[in-house]
Amino acid sequence: MIQEFIVFLWQRKRFLVVNFIIVAIAGWAYAWFLAKKEYLSQVTFLPPIGESSSPLSIMGITLPSLSETSIMTEQIETIFNSKAIKRQLIERFNLYEVFKLQKNPNKLDLAIKRLRTYVMLQAVQKGSMGFEKTISFTISCYHPSADTAKLLGEYAFALLDSSIRHISIGR
């Protein structure tokens, strides 16, 4: 069975090599001449420390408590994905223009959907079987301008940090 397949490929070797070369040249041409450059800016930060000192901690897993003054690590992603933070990012950097949505009547919702590919939050977790602990978070920002990507990352972190502080103080 495998020998028949190898013989089949050997008989078609010229066809396969020519197609490989054509695809490689097309990929190279697309990467260097057609694709637009995008720059990446990343901000890595540690989760709030107030959670680890909770008296309701079992084997390193923190149980939720209404009496805690700080937010839980799991809430950071929810805060970051809030519409308020996304709207501030979009308006501060005029991403309506980048996404070409200036004249669209539903431009905020469409810009938020497109912003998911430009600004992302990833968590690094350690553990398994449901007993995972978040070690750090990384905000990744992509933009055609290197300076704007850097500023976008710093501003996204500043918005998230101020939101977390505001919520923690309010609790």
Side-chain angles (χ1 to χ4, degrees), residues 6-70:
I6 292 172
V7 169
F8 173 77
L9 289 177
W10 185 255
Q11 291 172 347
R12 308 275 194 273
K13 67 182 175 215
R14 183 171 295 196
F15 174 75
L16 293 174
V17 169
V18 169
N19 281 328
F20 175 76
I21 292 171
I22 291 172
V23 169
I25 291 171
W28 178 82
Y30 177 78
W32 286 100
F33 299 114
L34 297 177
K36 295 178 183 173
K37 284 185 180 179
E38 277 196 352
Y39 296 93
L40 168 66
S41 171
Q42 291 185 326
V43 177
T44 301
F45 62 96
L46 302 174
I49 58 171
E51 159 182 323
S52 60
S53 62
S54 171
L56 297 174
S57 176
I58 301 172
M59 295 175 21
I61 306 302
T62 304
L63 300 174
S65 171
L66 292 176
S67 63
E68 272 189 55
T69 58
S70 65

Side-chain angles (χ1 to χ4, degrees), residues 151-171:
L151 293 173
L152 191 61
E154 290 174 352
Y155 189 66
F157 175 73
L159 283 176
L160 181 62
D161 187 46
S162 67
S163 298
I164 290 171
R165 288 177 194 261
H166 180 73
I167 291 169
S168 296
I169 290 172
R171 287 185 87 178

Side-chain angles (χ1 to χ4, degrees), residues 114-133:
R114 290 188 185 170
L115 188 65
R116 291 180 192 152
T117 60
Y118 274 70
V119 180
M120 294 172 268
L121 177 74
Q122 296 102 10
V124 176
Q125 297 179 337
K126 183 179 180 182
S128 62
M129 294 177 44
F131 298 110
E132 296 167 343
K133 184 171 183 156

